[in-house]
Amino acid sequence: MARLGISIYVGHSSVEKDVEYVRKAAKAGFKRIFMDLLAVEGKNKEEVISEFREITDVAQQEQMEVILDVAPSVFKAFDLSYNDLSFFKEMNVDGIRLDEGFNGGAESFMTFNPEGLKIELNASLGNGYIENVMSHYPNINTLITCHNFYPQRYTGLSEAHFDMCNAKIRKMNLPIAAFVSSQAEGTYGPWPVNEGLCTLEMHRDLPIDVQMRHLIATQGVDDIIIANAYASDEELETCAKINPGILAFKIDFEKELQETERKIIYEHAHHVRGDMGEYMVRSTMPRVTYADLSVKPENTRDLKRGDVVIVNDDYSRYKGELHIVLKDMPNDGRKNVVGRVPENESMLLDYIRPWRPFEFLS
């Protein structure tokens, strides 16, 4: 994953609040903005340019890329042609997202626009649409993709469809973005529906950091955008702290950590052994690093999928190894159960692979 993004819906709030949100996100390390032109009605070109530039000019000052969501209906409403994208350049955006397609040839033609605007295709259409665009030899240097978000509950993508679309796009070497949903009170999107705003239906009610860590775990997307506005300060801070290149888990602790256990969990780098078995993930190097430190036996109950385990002093050769349990098994007393991967992020266990690095969030 390359970048984090936010969304701004001009006209749904005050300019001052939008600007504050842009600057706040930029300070947290966010690098792109999704803006929507589909819901703008009853305004002429000059009014739209003036209104949007109050935000886009600030975004450019903050070095944030702005992609504007459009469709054929927008071209018709403003009497635009795909032969001339200068209107969007005047809005001071970096590209346009085509929520609905044209005919493949038009999209390809637009990628050669003299303004240098990026053309973003809808990544959620798994019907050969992007393959059709690619068959017209577009300029792939200006071509990117982004999934839809779904305001209506139960209409988001299935994980299977999401993975299928991403696999096809990956073969075409095009960047992919997707949306997650803020869970803050009072958030909104382009339409008067407030049921969450995410790409994957399974994400709708999950904490935003779990949604993001799941998308990172899939290795299927490059950019992740918060679809609704405004995410809370806490959400922005939490998202900014997530390492975009590593599989990350939280732990629901069952006991107070010994100092050695704390060091093993949070101060040591972890990766899955290359000879991974079916019962557990093993991070073995802590047993070498902390060979001289004690891990007293504590909480040695039987082991369940999702348990986070540290081998204790009674297993002298392996003392200090960290395990994540993948299949239930008995505990002979030589393994301390420090806690469990939370139930709402248990799907992350499915992305564990040999040699894959992982970490635990405090």
Side-chain angles (χ1 to χ4, degrees), residues 245-260:
I246 196 166
L247 183 61
F249 303 92
K250 287 185 177 178
I251 303 175
D252 286 337
F253 289 103
E254 291 188 8
K255 73 180 194 68
E256 186 174 344
L257 292 179
Q258 300 173 37
E259 180 58 19
T260 305

Side-chain angles (χ1 to χ4, degrees), residues 25-265:
K27 186 176 180 180
F30 285 64
K31 296 298 183 183
R32 64 176 286 176
I33 300 175
F34 169 89
M35 297 183 77
D36 175 54
L37 198 56
L38 299 180
V40 174
E41 296 178 352
K43 297 178 180 179
N44 60 39
K45 291 181 182 180
E46 291 71 26
E47 290 172 326
V48 169
I49 291 171
S50 175
E51 190 172 20
F52 272 72
R53 286 202 62 146
E54 291 185 274
I55 310 300
T56 60
D57 287 355
V58 174
Q60 298 298 344
Q61 292 170 15
E62 297 290 351
Q63 298 182 311
M64 298 178 77
E65 180 182 85
V66 181
I67 304 295
L68 186 66
D69 202 30
V70 302
S73 59
V74 171
F75 280 76
K76 182 177 180 180
F78 292 104
D79 193 25
L80 305 175
S81 166
Y82 62 79
N83 295 295
D84 180 5
L85 304 183
S86 58
F87 169 67
F88 303 113
K89 190 66 174 180
E90 289 182 64
M91 295 177 70
N92 203 14
V93 301
D94 298 283
I96 57 173
R97 178 183 182 273
L98 305 178
D99 186 58
E100 299 173 24
F102 287 82
N103 58 14
E107 289 90 333
S108 176
F109 185 89
M110 281 189 273
T111 65
F112 296 96
N113 69 88
E115 293 80 14
L117 296 172
K118 292 184 178 181
I119 305 301
E120 188 169 74
L121 306 179
N122 188 335
S124 298
L125 303 177
N127 59 356
Y129 165 64
I130 295 179
E131 290 91 334
N132 182 33
V133 175
M134 292 297 288
S135 73
H136 289 82
Y137 298 94
N139 176 10
I140 61 172
N141 296 308
T142 58
L143 193 63
I144 58 178
T145 76
C146 178
H147 281 281
N148 276 345
F149 55 64
Y150 297 89
Q152 186 182 169
R153 186 174 290 276
Y154 304 122
T155 62
L157 297 185
S158 70
E159 194 171 8
H161 183 81
F162 181 73
D163 291 343
M164 181 269 290
C165 291
N166 291 343
K168 288 184 176 181
I169 296 169
R170 280 282 182 243
K171 290 180 179 178
M172 294 179 263
N173 296 314
L174 299 176
I176 306 170
F179 292 97
V180 293
S181 180
S182 164
Q183 302 298 356
E185 289 290 330
T187 58
Y188 59 89
W191 315 114
V193 178
N194 188 9
E195 299 175 2
L197 212 56
C198 47
T199 292
L200 280 168
E201 185 60 38
M202 65 183 292
H203 285 172
R204 195 170 298 275
D205 297 311
L206 292 176
I208 195 169
D209 71 292
V210 178
Q211 299 174 55
M212 289 191 65
R213 285 186 284 123
H214 179 225
L215 290 181
I216 291 168
T218 69
Q219 297 184 300
V221 301
D222 300 290
D223 294 356
I224 299 177
I225 306 165
I226 302 173
N228 42 359
Y230 304 108
S232 69
D233 292 355
E234 181 182 7
E235 287 179 322
L236 292 178
E237 183 180 344
T238 298
C239 292
K241 288 180 178 178
I242 295 174
N243 185 331
I246 196 166
L247 183 61
F249 303 92
K250 287 185 177 178
I251 303 175
D252 286 337
F253 289 103
E254 291 188 8
K255 73 180 194 68
E256 186 174 344
L257 292 179
Q258 300 173 37
E259 180 58 19
T260 305
E261 292 173 330
R262 187 195 65 77
K263 287 178 177 290
I264 290 170
I265 292 169

